[in-house]
């Protein structure tokens, strides 16, 4: 059994501290490297694409930046009408040149922080920085490349397992009405989320689909937890291998936030192709709201992902649109716990 969490103190604040580790540095960079709010005050209202062109910002990190600014109440953002942005009174009073209450020098005093400099580079180039700001020793030094290292893969798998102990039972509770027979946990790491779903569906069986060498760590943790026989591990690459067939539930937990739009679409399409007709896609993650103005803790986590991976926290609108274009129906978002949620989508019969 996955640990029962109902009586545990709520660790949401602890998730937020860890996940928001890079958010302050992005604001420091926006102010000190780009003088963003002065430019916005001189050119607003404007569009995100115009701001990107004028300030030399790449679209993915800029999207993360403007969501963070909106979540802090520093800009207004209207994604429904051309993604128009405009500096608010708060931003104008404290982060724009010429204001008597200008805090830019205060932020600028931290502009040499290594993470702030890395984020400036990501904003300009869209190239991911090294995981946890560690110096990459080789070309395979980014997050995904380092997963090929057995020791790193073991540490990351332990980290994902620790994060999941509290989250997994809440995910299972949020989708308790979904019928489940064979569950495929894509990029499932230790299988903690699949294990929690199996606890709620005693007749079901599951498969964790993982790359090597994470598959080895996954087998050990699944055995330690007592799920051998009910939860298997298939080794493969989700981008180059077909997903295992004959499953009626596909779980992607905190996987899509590591990848760019082309690869997210690839994974959603691969899921659609492999799912049994009538089966469900469950996409468990931290989701930005449709209006891309928050929630603040998710906007902050998106900065960490933007820094260290080719991904970001996707919005409910972005994911729903991609899923529906591929052919999924009954797309619905449900909140779980600790700023997480699950997007459900069904493959038609
Ligand atoms: C951020 S972790 C999420 C793990 C787990 N699902 C969770 O919610 O904690 C992403 C997972 O995707 C796996 N992964 C990355 N690239 C992969 C690939 N090409 N094929 C299969 N799995 C991959 C990683 O090994 C890792 O376990």
């Amino acid at each position: 059994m996955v640990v029962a969490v109902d009586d545990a103190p709520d660790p949401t604040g602890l998730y937020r501290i860890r996940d928001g580790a890079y958010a302050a540095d992005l604001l420091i960079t926006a102010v000190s490297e780009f003088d963003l709010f002065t430019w916005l005050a001189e050119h607003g209202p404007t569009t995100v694409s115009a701001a990107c062109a004028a300030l030399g910002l790449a679209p993915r990190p800029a999207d993360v930046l403007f969501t963070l600014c909106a979540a802090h109440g520093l800009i207004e953002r209207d994604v429904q009408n051309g993604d128009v942005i405009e500096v608010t009174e708060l931003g104008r009073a404290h982060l724009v040149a010429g204001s008597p209450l200008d805090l830019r020098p205060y932020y600028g005093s931290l502009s040499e922080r290594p993470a702030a400099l890395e984020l400036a580079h990501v904003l300009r180039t869209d190239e991911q920085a090294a995981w946890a700001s560690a110096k990459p020793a080789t070309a395979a030094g980014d997050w995904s490349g380092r997963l090929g290292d057995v020791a790193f893969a073991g540490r990351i798998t332990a980290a994902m397992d620790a994060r999941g102990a509290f989250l997994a039972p809440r995910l299972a509770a949020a989708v308790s009405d979904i019928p489940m027979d064979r569950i495929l946990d894509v990029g499932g790491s230790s299988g903690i989320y699949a294990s929690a779903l199996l606890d709620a569906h005693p007749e079901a069986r599951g498969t964790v689909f993982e790359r090597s060498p994470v598959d080895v760590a996954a087998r050990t943790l699944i055995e330690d937890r007592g799920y051998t026989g009910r939860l298997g591990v298939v080794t493969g690459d989700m981008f180059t291998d077909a997903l295992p067939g004959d499953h009626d539930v596909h779980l992607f937990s905190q996987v899509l936030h590591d990848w760019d739009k082309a690869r997210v679409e690839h994974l959603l399409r691969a899921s659609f192709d492999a799912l049994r007709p009538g089966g469900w896609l469950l996409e468990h993650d931290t989701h930005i709201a449709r209006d891309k103005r928050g929630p603040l803790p998710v906007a902050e986590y998106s900065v960490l992902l933007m820094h260290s991976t080719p991904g970001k926290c996707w919005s409910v609108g972005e994911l729903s649109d991609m899923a529906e274009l591929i052919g999924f129906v009954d797309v619905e978002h449900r909140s779980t716990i600790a700023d997480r949620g699950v997007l459900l989508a069904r493959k038609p019969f």
Side-chain angles (χ1 to χ4, degrees), residues 3-20 161-170 193 297 336-340:
V3 175
V5 296
D6 284 349
D7 296 330
D10 183 354
T12 298
L14 295 173
Y15 283 89
R16 288 178 179 169
I17 291 166
R18 185 272 188 195
D19 294 344
D161 193 60
R163 172 178 64 179
F166 184 75
L167 304 178
R170 303 304 182 128
Y193 298 89
T336 56
I337 195 84
D339 306 311
R340 269 71 182 172

Side-chain angles (χ1 to χ4, degrees), residues 24-37 65 69 123:
D25 287 293
L26 186 60
L27 208 53
I28 290 164
T29 291
V31 171
S32 58
E33 278 286 318
F34 296 92
D35 202 3
L36 174 66
F37 299 95
L65 169 63
C69 293
L123 280 165

